[in-house]
Amino acid sequence: MTPILAPQTLYRHPDGWSISYAENALISTDDDLNFVIVPIGNICLLELAKKLYDIAMKGTP
């Protein structure tokens, strides 16, 4: 039997696209079900989180 991918939604934009995570991959999907899968391991995921945090903190007073 083929396993079913059940991504965890990390972010959903009001315009309809979303970013999810499953099986060591980030998945970006739009309303038309177009998608991009970006393979990322645990170490790279942590590095991405740190970079996103730094970007967010620059915009915080």
Side-chain angles (χ1 to χ4, degrees), residues 2-3 6-7 11 17 22 31 36-37 39 53 56 60:
T2 304
Y11 176 78
W17 55 269
D31 278 345
V36 175
I37 297 174
Y53 178 81
T60 304

Side-chain angles (χ1 to χ4, degrees), residues 45-59:
L45 190 61
L46 184 56
E47 288 177 24
L48 176 61
K50 289 176 183 177
K51 289 178 182 180
L52 290 172
Y53 178 81
D54 289 343
I55 291 168
M57 291 309 291
K58 287 180 184 176

Side-chain angles (χ1 to χ4, degrees), residues 8-52:
Q8 174 187 1
T9 300
L10 304 175
Y11 176 78
R12 183 173 305 280
H13 191 273
D15 290 340
W17 55 269
S18 66
I19 300 173
S20 303
Y21 177 80
E23 301 294 326
N24 294 318
L26 292 173
I27 306 159
S28 180
T29 310
D30 67 10
D31 278 345
D32 296 326
L33 298 180
N34 297 306
F35 62 92
V36 175
I37 297 174
V38 179
I40 190 165
N42 289 339
I43 292 172
C44 293
L45 190 61
L46 184 56
E47 288 177 24
L48 176 61
K50 289 176 183 177
K51 289 178 182 180
L52 290 172

